[in-house]
Amino acid sequence: KDCSNIFVCSSCMASEQHGRHKFVEVAEVFKTKKDDIKKDAKELENHISPTYEEIARDLENQLANLDGGYEKITTTMSKQGEQWHREIDIIINNMKTEIGEIKVKHKDILQKHLDEIKQIQSLIKQTLQAIRKIEKSTDVSLTTEYSSKIREFSKLPPKVKVTLPTFIAKPIDPENLYSLFGQITPLSTATEENVSSLNQHKTSVRELMDEPELVTTIHTGHEKLRSVTCLNDDKIWTSGKTNDIKCFNSKGSLLQTIQKQSGKFPGDIAVDSDGDLLYTSGATRTVNKVKNGQTEELIRLQGWTPGYLCVTSTGDLLVTMYSDDYTQSKVVRYLGTTEKQTIQFDDKGKPLYSGNAKLKCIRENRNRDICVADSEAGAVVVVNQDGKLRWRYTGHPSVTKNKPFKSQDITTDSQSHILTADSDNHCIHILDQNGQFLGYIDNCDLKGPTGLCVDINDNLFVCEFYKGNVKKIKYLK
């Protein structure tokens, strides 16, 4: 064993070279190796090989979609070109119309002066006729009454010359045109470790319980309890329509209270991977972090007010927000304090979320989907990590749940389930990651459920808005 597991005979075992070494029976080594080989075969067959197959399929799909992706880009370019042509045609037609109007004015000016000259010419002709008549006449009275008009006609009118307008064409700068037309982003290659894929099998499959169980009830003392968040049941953070944020343990004992500096209640609360508290403040338009009892400002918005937030599996921050005029809503992804992504419209340019200041709670699912509970729209809106709409859920037909579905909050679990609070119908809807309805949690005497969160052990925590209670519920087997 001390010599790299070499085989030795009985003579070697007694030799000075190996006399003090530890020896292992070949049969024992053989059995251990056989067990290792069996484990490796199982690991390769059940986990590593399927993971490589998944990676290969992903690459094959990327290759299969390559032509379509580039065709979309060139189509977009062509559409941009068509738009430019339309705009240029509009400009040319407007200029031609303007030239036509100038031409009419030009013609009117010349015609007016021509009419005046012709009128004078007519008077001159009449005067000549009168003079010739007098010349031939012997009438003394007619001759003596003659008054000369030469001085009047000698005052020639000004010569009118109207200059034609000119079109001054501006030089075309190809480089400037290129930048104005659009921009092609460089090819970006990102490689990600597939650790999560290899380790995914460690998350055991857990089925829904036939009857969820109420484990405990925490009396928070909040008026109008809205939000709850936690990593585990050691620290459960809660907030309502007051300016304090409270932290409880699983037994309901108050551990800490944080008073918000603005004096207004927080929009939402979340906990990052380090266990530090994050909260939004509509009054100051900020996202803040509480670390070691000190509050620091992470993000300050202009023209927008933050609503709800969540921390993603990669440590990014997702924040829902609405515009100052209450007409637009969007989701923004931050890396630290840097804006990375904005999600606001679908592929047809239509808003993904209702434009107002109503509740839009947000969570990231295990498959990286971004799930938003849009209460005013009465929908759960789910997009993938690139911001592309996957599906909408607008409730499930039920005889007993007869009030309109208005999703008050949303959370996800280790099984990629999506749970959303239906406050008016006093229940929780459970969906799979594709938006299929799986069932209700409606048996734990829930009254007006609002805020939701699931800890690392898949325990569900539910806020009761008017009662001020947080209920811990077990719903997975």
Side-chain angles (χ1 to χ4, degrees):
K1 190 174 182 180
D2 297 325
C3 296
S4 302
N5 289 325
I6 62 172
F7 292 99
V8 292
C9 62
S10 56
S11 298
C12 292
M13 290 171 64
S15 68
E16 184 177 344
Q17 182 181 358
H18 301 292
R20 296 184 179 181
H21 288 177
K22 294 180 181 178
F23 299 95
V24 181
E25 286 288 340
V26 173
E28 186 180 337
V29 174
F30 181 81
K31 183 179 181 302
T32 302
K33 285 294 182 182
K34 279 286 190 180
D35 290 342
D36 290 343
I37 290 167
K38 188 176 181 180
K39 287 180 182 176
D40 284 358
K42 187 176 180 182
E43 180 73 13
L44 285 166
E45 184 178 358
N46 295 338
H47 304 303
I48 295 177
S49 180
T51 300
Y52 274 91
E53 287 177 8
E54 184 182 339
I55 295 169
R57 278 196 302 270
D58 179 63
L59 290 169
E60 287 167 357
N61 287 336
Q62 288 187 55
L63 283 168
N65 295 327
L66 197 67
D67 290 341
Y70 277 89
E71 188 176 341
K72 283 183 180 179
I73 295 171
T74 54
T75 300
T76 303
M77 288 178 179
S78 297
K79 286 182 179 178
Q80 175 75 336
E82 291 168 6
Q83 182 65 31
W84 270 45
H85 283 298
R86 283 195 294 272
E87 293 297 329
I88 289 170
D89 288 342
I90 290 169
I91 291 170
I92 292 170
N93 289 332
N94 287 340
M95 284 190 166
K96 284 181 177 178
T97 300
E98 188 178 350
I99 284 294
E101 292 171 351
I102 294 172
K103 178 184 174 183
V104 169
K105 289 180 181 178
H106 192 156
K107 186 177 180 180
D108 288 345
I109 292 169
L110 293 176
Q111 189 64 51
K112 179 185 176 185
H113 283 275
L114 178 60
D115 291 345
E116 289 175 354
I117 294 299
K118 285 186 178 294
Q119 187 178 4
I120 294 171
Q121 284 180 312
S122 177
L123 290 172
I124 291 172
K125 187 176 181 181
Q126 291 174 14
T127 303
L128 274 171
Q129 289 174 349
I131 289 173
R132 287 195 178 103
K133 184 179 179 182
I134 294 171
E135 282 179 330
K136 294 176 182 179
S137 174
T138 57
D139 188 333
V140 175
S141 174
L142 188 64
T143 303
T144 55
E145 289 176 358
Y146 168 75
S147 175
S148 176
K149 300 213 183 228
I150 294 297
R151 181 176 292 181
E152 181 182 339
F153 290 136
S154 294
K155 294 179 181 178
L156 298 175
K159 190 175 182 180
V160 176
K161 187 172 183 180
V162 182
T163 306
L164 286 171
T166 57
F167 171 70
I168 303 171
K170 293 190 176 181
I172 297 173
D173 183 349
E175 290 186 6
N176 192 32
L177 275 180
Y178 192 94
S179 63
L180 287 173
F181 185 79
Q183 181 181 5
I184 299 174
T185 59
L187 194 67
S188 174
T189 304
T191 56
E192 298 178 3
E193 291 186 30
N194 281 288
V195 175
S196 58
S197 299
L198 286 171
N199 290 338
Q200 204 164 21
H201 65 274
K202 293 183 178 179
T203 301
S204 59
V205 176
R206 299 182 64 183
E207 296 179 358
L208 294 171
M209 295 172 62
D210 295 331
E211 288 287 326
E213 298 174 359
L214 177 62
V215 179
T216 188
T217 299
I218 299 172
H219 304 285
T220 68
H222 280 294
E223 294 179 13
K224 299 181 179 178
L225 180 61
R226 300 194 338 154
S227 300
V228 59
T229 186
C230 62
L231 289 178
N232 50 54
D233 60 6
D234 291 338
K235 284 188 175 183
I236 303 160
W237 291 95
T238 63
S239 68
K241 287 199 169 184
T242 51
N243 73 327
D244 55 344
I245 304 171
K246 298 178 181 180
C247 182
F248 298 87
N249 63 18
S250 59
K251 295 179 181 179
S253 299
L254 181 62
L255 303 177
Q256 187 179 356
T257 300
I258 295 172
Q259 299 289 335
K260 272 185 77 255
Q261 295 174 354
S262 67
K264 301 289 185 180
F265 61 84
D268 191 27
I269 55 176
V271 177
D272 64 19
S273 58
D274 295 327
D276 295 325
L277 177 70
L278 306 170
Y279 69 87
T280 59
S281 174
T284 59
R285 302 187 187 194
T286 57
V287 178
N288 304 281
K289 181 176 184 176
V290 180
K291 187 178 182 68
N292 298 325
Q294 299 297 314
T295 301
E296 61 175 299
E297 181 182 297
L298 295 181
I299 300 162
R300 179 174 287 271
L301 302 179
Q302 290 185 341
W304 296 82
T305 300
Y308 283 71
L309 77 166
C310 75
V311 179
T312 70
S313 57
T314 58
D316 292 344
L317 193 60
L318 294 172
V319 184
T320 64
M321 57 187 72
Y322 57 89
S323 60
D324 284 354
D325 60 2
Y326 303 102
T327 61
Q328 299 181 70
S329 298
K330 63 182 179 180
V331 172
V332 178
R333 182 191 296 270
Y334 292 92
L335 175 60
T337 59
T338 303
E339 185 175 322
K340 281 178 61 179
Q341 180 188 25
T342 297
I343 301 169
Q344 188 172 4
F345 303 104
D346 63 16
D347 289 337
K348 296 179 181 179
K350 294 182 178 179
L352 288 166
Y353 315 109
S354 61
N356 49 61
K358 302 294 185 180
L359 302 176
K360 289 177 187 66
C361 309
I362 186 166
R363 291 293 184 275
E364 182 193 56
N365 206 354
R366 194 174 179 81
N367 63 355
R368 306 284 180 86
D369 282 352
I370 300 167
C371 313
V372 171
D374 190 339
S375 64
E376 187 66 14
V380 172
V381 183
V382 176
V383 301
N384 65 17
Q385 60 183 328
D386 296 322
K388 303 295 183 183
L389 178 65
R390 286 199 62 220
W391 50 266
R392 292 176 186 269
Y393 172 79
T394 55
H396 183 73
S398 171
V399 177
T400 57
K401 286 32 175 207
N402 50 25
K403 291 187 178 180
F405 171 71
K406 286 193 174 183
S407 181
Q408 296 293 312
D409 202 353
I410 197 165
T411 192
T412 62
D413 63 18
S414 67
Q415 309 300 302
S416 295
H417 294 141
I418 299 168
L419 296 90
T420 184
D422 184 352
S423 184
D424 290 343
N425 289 300
H426 309 292
C427 65
I428 310 294
H429 298 233
I430 306 176
L431 317 175
D432 70 10
Q433 65 182 7
N434 297 313
Q436 296 300 309
F437 176 79
L438 300 178
Y440 293 113
I441 299 176
D442 58 0
N443 66 320
C444 296
D445 194 30
L446 293 173
K447 299 296 182 185
T450 50
L452 302 177
C453 81
V454 170
D455 68 11
I456 57 175
N457 297 313
D458 283 327
N459 293 305
L460 174 64
F461 294 86
V462 183
C463 294
E464 291 184 307
F465 185 69
Y466 291 106
K467 286 188 172 183
N469 296 332
V470 172
K471 287 186 173 178
K472 180 180 177 182
I473 296 173
K474 182 181 178 183
Y475 67 99
L476 294 178
K477 294 180 179 177

